[in-house]
Amino acid sequence: MTYLRPNFRHPDLPTNDLGYTKKNYEGSLSTLCAGCGHDSISAAIVQACFELSVEPHKVAKMSGIGCSSKTPTYFLGNSHGFNSVHGRMPSVVTGANMANRDMIYIGVSGDGDTASIGMGQFVHAVRRSLNMTYIVENNGCYGLTKGQDSATADVGSKSKKGDANPFEAIDLVAMALQLGASFVARSFSGDKEQLVPLLKAAISHPGFAFIDVISPCVTFNNNPGSTKSYEFVRDHLEATGTVDFVPMRKEITTSYSAGTSQEVTLHDGSVIHLHKIDEKLDIHNRRSALDLIQEYKEGGKILTGLLYMDKEPTDLHETVGTVHKPLRSLHEKELCPGNNVLQNINASFR
Amino acid sequence: MTYLRPNFRHPDLPTNDLGYTKKNYEGSLSTLCAGCGHDSISAAIVQACFELSVEPHKVAKMSGIGCSSKTPTYFLGNSHGFNSVHGRMPSVVTGANMANRDMIYIGVSGDGDTASIGMGQFVHAVRRSLNMTYIVENNGCYGLTKGQDSATADVGSKSKKGDANPFEAIDLVAMALQLGASFVARSFSGDKEQLVPLLKAAISHPGFAFIDVISPCVTFNNNPGSTKSYEFVRDHLEATGTVDFVPMRKEITTSYSAGTSQEVTLHDGSVIHLHKIDEKLDIHNRRSALDLIQEYKEGGKILTGLLYMDKEPTDLHETVGTVHKPLRSLHEKELCPGNNVLQNINASFR
Amino acid sequence: MSKEAALMNRIESLNDFVIRFANVNGTGSASANNLFAKAIFRMGIPVSPKNIFPSNIQGLPTWYEVRVNEKGYIGRRGGIDIVVCVNPQSMAKDIEDVEPGGYFLYDNTKALDLRMMRRDIHFIGIPLTEICRQEYTDPRQRQLFKNVIYVGALAALLNIEFEVLTNLIADQFEGKEKLIAPNVHALELGFNYARENFQCPIGIRIERRNNVGDAILIDGNTACGLGAIYGGATVAAWYPITPSTSVVDAFETYAKRLRVCPASGKQKFAIVQAEDELAAIGMVIGANWNGARSFTATSGPGISLMNEFLGLAYFAEIPAVLIDVQRTGPSTGMPTRTQQSDVFECAYASHGDTKHVLLFPSTPKECFDMTASAFDLTERLQTPIILLTDLDLGMNDTMSEPLQWDDARAYDRGKVFTAEQLEAMSERFGRYLDIDDDGICYRTYPGTHPTKGSFFTRGTSRDEYAVYTEDGAAYARNMDRLLKKWETAKSYVPAPEIINAEHGSNIGMIYFGTTRAAALEAIDHLHEDAIAIDTLRLKAFPFNREVEEFIAQHDTIFVVEQNRDGQMRSILINECEINPTKLVAVLNYDGMPITARYIHGKVADYLQSANVTPLRRQAGQKAERKS
Amino acid sequence: MSKEAALMNRIESLNDFVIRFANVNGTGSASANNLFAKAIFRMGIPVSPKNIFPSNIQGLPTWYEVRVNEKGYIGRRGGIDIVVCVNPQSMAKDIEDVEPGGYFLYDNTKALDLRMMRRDIHFIGIPLTEICRQEYTDPRQRQLFKNVIYVGALAALLNIEFEVLTNLIADQFEGKEKLIAPNVHALELGFNYARENFQCPIGIRIERRNNVGDAILIDGNTACGLGAIYGGATVAAWYPITPSTSVVDAFETYAKRLRVCPASGKQKFAIVQAEDELAAIGMVIGANWNGARSFTATSGPGISLMNEFLGLAYFAEIPAVLIDVQRTGPSTGMPTRTQQSDVFECAYASHGDTKHVLLFPSTPKECFDMTASAFDLTERLQTPIILLTDLDLGMNDTMSEPLQWDDARAYDRGKVFTAEQLEAMSERFGRYLDIDDDGICYRTYPGTHPTKGSFFTRGTSRDEYAVYTEDGAAYARNMDRLLKKWETAKSYVPAPEIINAEHGSNIGMIYFGTTRAAALEAIDHLHEDAIAIDTLRLKAFPFNREVEEFIAQHDTIFVVEQNRDGQMRSILINECEINPTKLVAVLNYDGMPITARYIHGKVADYLQSANVTPLRRQAGQKAERKS
Ligand SMILES: Cc1ncc(C[n+]2csc(CCOP(=O)(O)OP(=O)(O)O)c2C)c(N)n1
Ligand SMILES: Cc1ncc(C[n+]2csc(CCOP(=O)(O)OP(=O)(O)O)c2C)c(N)n1
Ligand code: SF4
Ligand code: SF4
Ligand SMILES: [Mg+2]
Ligand SMILES: [Mg+2]
């Protein structure tokens, strides 16, 4: 059946091929900190889905637990969402996807949610080549529990780069590449120009698409080298032993063109060096991608952009060999063999 | 204090520097299937510890659950052992190691125990660069639960090599390398000449040493192309729907020299191609190791030997900065600040 | 048989005995032993074979105990009349275990160690190894046929109709005919040797009866797998663990047979072997959330790992079917032994205030029925349903009524708003609005309608419109509604099976699951001792009114279960607010299925010591036989 | 204050009121609010501040409720006399919440929306934003000092000694002196504005008392962290989760101060931030197995994930200390609200027959004492000890007796054979031999002796010599011994706190943990209504004899707890075999700490409706005040 287009639509707002306005892709008000990178990513998702003209209700928004995992509430208000438990989003998406292959699955996770408690499920979701878009909103810390280090590199903290990182940081992009993900990209929350197209490509990709998005936590960038004006406040908080003061911040945005590098200054004054991938990289060769990111890393730079794509990935449904009709739509008649068959089965047990 | 050497020692048996005979390193009778690769590994561990002259009781044998994880009972009878729960050996070793840095920790796991349920803990044990030897007895299946496929490549099943493996197989060696393990090797259960020295090197390595040992499961090599004599039995079992027949097998042994390749025929007649690493490889370069194993893999060969070693790894105790005396040996006086201090603390809360 | 043996008394019995086969696992004995049991079954005599196997793959002792009982008692009796021992390792103990006057059949290729000799049982030596050495060259065949040979011998010794055996072989190897002759030959080898060397039959004999009717011999796990097929399960996610593995194996076997689209060859089901149990239950929750019927099967350790997700499903109200084939806990415990000790863990799984709906099948038929209906139940109640079976029922071939399916029956998908309903709706959709005042709210499947009915599922507190809230009142309202739903569940779950003594009694017995057969047999024996007891078999948690009434109507109630802590008894006390003194625990927890003798003994002893003499109710005083 | 307001009645009270600060989280209000509470505390008046914060980091409403009560009632009272509102979002509701005759202090830089006006409360407008705009340029300072300014104003309005405040500032910024002046200045801004614009003090006043003695104001998590330091913990493994995170934070803070080797600068402790809770408890088990004292802290979801490992530790008998700072469940529930709802999950965690030892601290001092002694207890009993505290106690500054440590006290490491003992031993070492017949066996640390005392730890069944076995009898023996150990535990755990009414009563009340303060206050109020009630505060599970006696001695017993299902009541019934009718549940589960008013109301109503009139016991009839 078809439905009337949402009638609260404003005639003047631009609409996409389906006649939806961007409003139809927005969610409820964010409760994240002002200037949190995660909100920029939500906005990029809204933009990407609008431009792709996906039917909002054909998307399922899945997440674990964390500030990042809260964001599905803040985009695609007409989609069903599932904020599951910490680190287990991949398994829930796997089940949901098996139930209905005709929907778009966008999984949002954090670096804690994925690289720590969720590592096992992440690895196996990649291995199964589940048809989904897996976004890690990577801030190198546990935002929601007030800023403990996470297992990913201390993204965006220059000062940290000097002193030996106590633990080998986990590079989820490298892992995804090595584990055979069919679409692997990295971006920066504030770089709409790069992020939106990447999201569109990922959502359109008929296999497992992984995007690691560097997304600064404006609140818990616990590093010393910091701007004067902030010092006063930090001293104050240290003295009072309370960490409940979060200065209002603006989101950090950047824009630079392919093949070039870009310095991005974060809220605490520290700097990260992004390098936007140029066309030179053969995005159909895993090993060269792995080598290149390693190479840039050694040069203190973070390579961003689409790093690898396999044009014909095998989706888990092909591997399993399920029918084209969504399993959840199969009717009783199609599923239940009936009593005659059962009587023959009985016979085989006599 | 010192103790008398075990008195049940046979005068004629060869002894090591500590005056122990090999018997002192043996365990109780194995209950694994005759010919199981795992038993060969146990024997190699006994040999390695004997040759290294480690004090048997200074070793802790840790494992998860599985046929492989049962093996610690079958070696080093004078060592404490801990057969924990499925997939969680790494965390138990981490705690044990933190408690007493002066012991040798040998963790034995299976491919199911590590690559499936244990993936998260494996990754993080590597990341922490825990001082332990981590052995995966890799048979590509779940032996103890009767042969389901595991997440690692279907080791040693040539027939499988042809048809597209339904899922990307996880190469634990590649993961360990990429995650920064300071010692990474691969070997074959039947190759004592290679395995024993590798074990000795791993046990002596003052950081995280990972060895992936290909260890054929004689019972559940569920692949079609198979020797005549076995077919009869298999048909029989298929017909009766029972899988309780396990023909007696001999362990598969092999021996070949560095730089050469070797074909090894498995119990079911299938063949694996091992290539023993030659001195050419720079074992101090992660990326070259990663590239090389990938290269051989593409050539249908499994590269064995010591693939990477970092001579000065940082042990978790250094990272954490613990005292040299084992934490478990600290006395009350060294741990308890006493009441005066406590009264000052009280004052700070008034 | 030796003269001397002939002189001493020997067990004489017709169609009523217990035989135990002592083998080494991995030697292919299972199929031969099955052959034996099935033959007797086909001769119309009830049997109950039980596998007692080690937690390894090859080389350790394994036993196969078959009770033959024409009266139809298929619970464990206790005691062994005949041992067939082809395992030197366990021989000493196996000899000890034989009842006085019983029989011990062994491989006498190697002479018996005289120290093991017993003068009060009958030794029957057959040179199995020797026979095989002469007959076969391939060592594998020597080992394999050794088993078939002793079955042949038993046919002679016990008077099993040889033709029944040969037919079984024929059926078994249908399509692999070349295997029939060698097997039949092996049977004959044993049969003839016994005939020639012993006076057949021995004191224990089989004689054809017509006491199995249309019953089938099937294991509970297979029945569960079939139940999932018929119940419309499309997504199975699991992680291997004994003794539950064969549930999904069976589901797969039959799904490949019955659920493949003939045209495309594509599957109308998906099975995912998860990386662990946390992932398995996560997948099941995701699939059910998205409108598919999905289940998993596991055992104790898996249940422990699923705790967090079970709490989510309870609180977020997502359907899920979970089959727990219980084994001996705690921890890894005895993975190949049975127990009913996950009851507590399952009833209250996860932190916070939670309660879960449980089903307790007793027979393979119930495994099938309850699994199938669990999918209706979970979608009607929008909460996980845990089917609690155990290793004994799950992995042993058990005599059962044949499986039935009512083709008129339609799946009940519960309260789900369709696109049409949403389209017609003027008011705002509220996922957690208790419209029908039964605590159960209307859900929508993802992707149903472009602008209506979408909501956010979460494990955090939310209001009636699924909006996140930290308002204490809203939270409490929701928790209270969940309790209301729990009350509603009482009328949805299967009622207990109540069997009252002829004129009723003031003494009752409550049991569930695999305790059934042994309990009913014990009740009969007690009846012979003039002790009348009414019984109630629990089929589900929460308990409905009948359970409370039964308890109210009796002064002393034995609660029989197979765990150490009397878990079900505690739950009865908690949920029905019963005075504990009324409920007497009868507990068996050594990992072996409970026996009729054990229950009989415990109950008789208690009644004697407490010198309670069971009163019969006056006729009329509701004593009708309920089922 | 406006004339009109002056006319209407207003709340008059001295040292007895409830004030609530309504802020936006992330605006730095916490330190200012602490300043307020601490000042009153330093004036010798008991206070109990409670943080009511959202599960996010910035921008949502957060409240800080302080009860001031010179009588020393520090539980929640219910009702609010003064609201200080600097959060427009919540203003409407905040105004509603004020008791009639109460006061509402707000930022009137922006005029009040007249629709919110109430004629029965007193509005006190202070142009906080405006003042800051004039005083400060840096927006951060404007926001930060706004909070300090209203504290200054309150000093004037309530008669708080200004010097007390300035001293606090001085202490707080010791070492950062440059911050003192600006803060004091901000206080003055508020103080002076209030003085100049309102008649001070208002009806509610503070006056110095000497009612706090040597008490300290500390949160339970810090006390637990200190308890771990003093208890000799060397290995802490954890995974962050609200509200338990600050336990390990505190342990780290003090360990870095008190546990660093001055010579080498090395740590006499190790803290590992695990990848999840499964790993955290695994590490704790590994460390304890290897002879170190190790602990973890978590909350509900973590407990669910630790289930499997807890079963292993119970069955393999490995010490472990686990601190569960409970929050509102099930699932993620309300992560920043309190509850006592993990009791059931913890008592019987994991599949199979398991029981776990629990401790229930009520005060920060008990958090300290019980954490420290938990390490002795776990090593003596060789089983996990779970300390059950909650968000209310764990994260709120709570008035408490000062912490004490007896320097003469020595750690009790339990039964561990030393190398010398092993060397001297002629017989074979049996890890699970019950030598002392108390169910507790002797263990050895790994690496103790070259040839004696090594054993294999496993979650599978084993015999007395730790050898793997599938023998049912050996398994059952072991399970029975574990029960014997459980009996032994009853005499090891802390006894309950019993407070009998003057002449005793036939009515009792049982409670535990953070319910204490509110319960004792309610008891006093009931006493004023001439209702005498004896009370028992549970300190541990298993329950010892005193608990059973208390229950036996009373006809009606109220069981007060902060969960929906009356979890503790169920456990009492199960473990003590109590007739449920005797135990009346009083349940609060909206996520807010239970109030004295609530308990008072519930009890009074019940007694009235059941028209039970509490009998006083005759003197002599054991009515002595136990504690
Ligand atoms: C089982 C469990 N453990 C711990 C927590 C507490 N917790 C909530 S969010 C979080 C980490 C979030 O970090 P990340 O995934 O990076 O998200 P971010 O907030 O940084 O965006 C943790 C540990 C939880 N909710 N559940
Ligand atoms: C939590 C849990 N899930 C499942 C099992 C059942 N189980 C026992 S061993 C095993 C897999 C063993 O495979 P692997 O680690 O490769 O060891 P192998 O037997 O092949 O040597 C499984 C799934 C278990 N013991 N615990
Ligand atoms: S804490 Fe960090 S991650 Fe969380 S919302 Fe604030 S800025 Fe974003
Ligand atoms: S099943 Fe396989 S892995 Fe297990 S013992 Fe037998 S051969 Fe070894
Ligand atoms: Mg993060
Ligand atoms: Mg394996």
Side-chain angles (χ1 to χ4, degrees), chain B residues 140-159:
Chain B
C141 76
Y142 289 2
L144 193 53
T145 49
K146 297 186 178 277
Q148 299 85 0
D149 281 342
S150 82
T152 62
D154 225 306
V155 179
S157 168
K158 187 180 182 183
S159 64

Side-chain angles (χ1 to χ4, degrees), chain B residues 86-258:
Chain B
H86 193 31
R88 317 297 175 189
M89 174 270 282
S91 62
V92 178
V93 179
T94 306
N97 182 303
M98 287 294 98
N100 182 356
R101 60 190 300 170
D102 285 355
M103 288 181 64
I104 292 167
Y105 298 92
I106 299 179
V108 175
S109 182
D111 42 327
D113 198 58
T114 289
S116 292
I117 192 168
M119 178 55 76
Q121 296 208 345
F122 167 70
V123 167
H124 286 273
V126 176
R127 178 166 169 269
R128 294 191 184 97
S129 148
L130 194 65
N131 183 359
M132 73 176 290
T133 298
Y134 192 121
I135 302 165
V136 169
E137 304 190 346
N138 190 347
N139 54 15
C141 76
Y142 289 2
L144 193 53
T145 49
K146 297 186 178 277
Q148 299 85 0
D149 281 342
S150 82
T152 62
D154 225 306
V155 179
S157 168
K158 187 180 182 183
S159 64
K160 284 261 170 81
K161 231 184 109 296
D163 51 50
N165 220 326
F167 295 110
E168 278 283 337
I170 290 173
D171 183 344
L172 293 169
V173 159
M175 284 192 82
L177 277 167
Q178 193 189 55
L179 291 164
S182 52
F183 180 111
V184 181
R186 170 139 48 204
S187 188
F188 180 74
S189 59
D191 186 358
K192 270 202 166 33
E193 288 165 28
Q194 182 186 52
L195 186 52
V196 172
L198 280 178
L199 282 166
K200 288 166 71 176
I203 292 169
S204 315
H205 180 73
F208 188 85
F210 178 71
I211 309 185
D212 177 53
V213 187
I214 299 163
S215 176
C217 168
V218 309
T219 303
F220 299 109
N221 29 27
N222 40 16
N223 84 336
S226 198
T227 64
K228 261 264 137 292
S229 67
Y230 190 43
E231 199 181 314
F232 173 89
V233 179
R234 214 181 50 255
D235 286 356
H236 184 99
L237 300 183
E238 276 168 14
T240 57
T242 54
V243 288
D244 75 322
F245 182 77
V246 182
M248 288 295 183
R249 306 296 190 76
K250 283 219 168 37
E251 71 170 306
I252 298 164
T253 59
T254 181
S255 152
Y256 59 112
S257 51

Side-chain angles (χ1 to χ4, degrees), chain A residues 38 66-68 109-113 136-144 148 150 152 215 217:
Chain A
H38 299 352
C67 294
S68 37
S109 181
D111 43 326
D113 198 60
V136 170
E137 304 188 347
N138 191 347
N139 55 15
C141 75
Y142 289 2
L144 193 53
Q148 299 84 2
S150 82
T152 62
S215 177
C217 170

Side-chain angles (χ1 to χ4, degrees), chain A residues 48-262:
Chain A
C49 290
F50 170 72
E51 291 180 14
L52 277 176
S53 294
V54 300
E55 292 206 85
H57 66 298
K58 292 297 185 191
V59 179
K61 313 171 291 182
M62 322 291 278
S63 66
I65 300 284
C67 294
S68 37
S69 294
K70 282 183 175 185
T71 61
T73 315
Y74 315 138
F75 59 80
L76 299 183
N78 284 318
S79 309
H80 273 59
F82 196 154
N83 189 184
S84 65
V85 288
H86 194 29
R88 317 297 175 189
M89 174 271 282
S91 62
V92 177
V93 178
T94 305
N97 183 304
M98 287 295 98
N100 183 357
R101 60 189 299 170
D102 285 355
M103 287 181 63
I104 291 167
Y105 297 91
I106 298 179
V108 175
S109 181
D111 43 326
D113 198 60
T114 288
S116 292
I117 192 168
M119 178 55 78
Q121 296 208 346
F122 167 70
V123 166
H124 286 273
V126 176
R127 178 165 170 268
R128 293 191 185 97
S129 151
L130 194 64
N131 183 1
M132 74 175 290
T133 298
Y134 193 121
I135 302 164
V136 170
E137 304 188 347
N138 191 347
N139 55 15
C141 75
Y142 289 2
L144 193 53
T145 49
K146 298 187 175 275
Q148 299 84 2
D149 280 342
S150 82
T152 62
D154 225 308
V155 179
S157 168
K158 187 181 184 184
S159 65
K160 283 261 173 77
K161 231 184 110 291
D163 50 51
N165 218 325
F167 296 111
E168 278 282 336
I170 290 173
D171 183 345
L172 293 169
V173 159
M175 285 192 81
L177 277 168
Q178 192 190 58
L179 290 164
S182 52
F183 180 110
V184 182
R186 170 139 46 205
S187 189
F188 179 74
S189 59
D191 185 359
K192 271 203 165 31
E193 286 166 29
Q194 182 187 51
L195 186 51
V196 172
L198 281 177
L199 282 166
K200 288 166 71 176
I203 293 169
S204 315
H205 181 72
F208 187 86
F210 178 72
I211 309 184
D212 178 51
V213 187
I214 299 164
S215 177
C217 170
V218 308
T219 304
F220 300 110
N221 30 26
N222 40 15
N223 84 336
S226 198
T227 63
K228 262 263 137 289
S229 69
Y230 190 43
E231 199 180 314
F232 174 90
V233 179
R234 213 181 50 256
D235 285 355
H236 184 101
L237 301 182
E238 275 168 13
T240 57
T242 53
V243 288
D244 74 323
F245 182 77
V246 182
M248 287 295 180
R249 305 296 191 76
K250 284 221 166 36
E251 72 170 303
I252 298 165
T253 60
T254 181
S255 155
Y256 59 112
S257 53
T260 67
S261 290
Q262 174 85 343

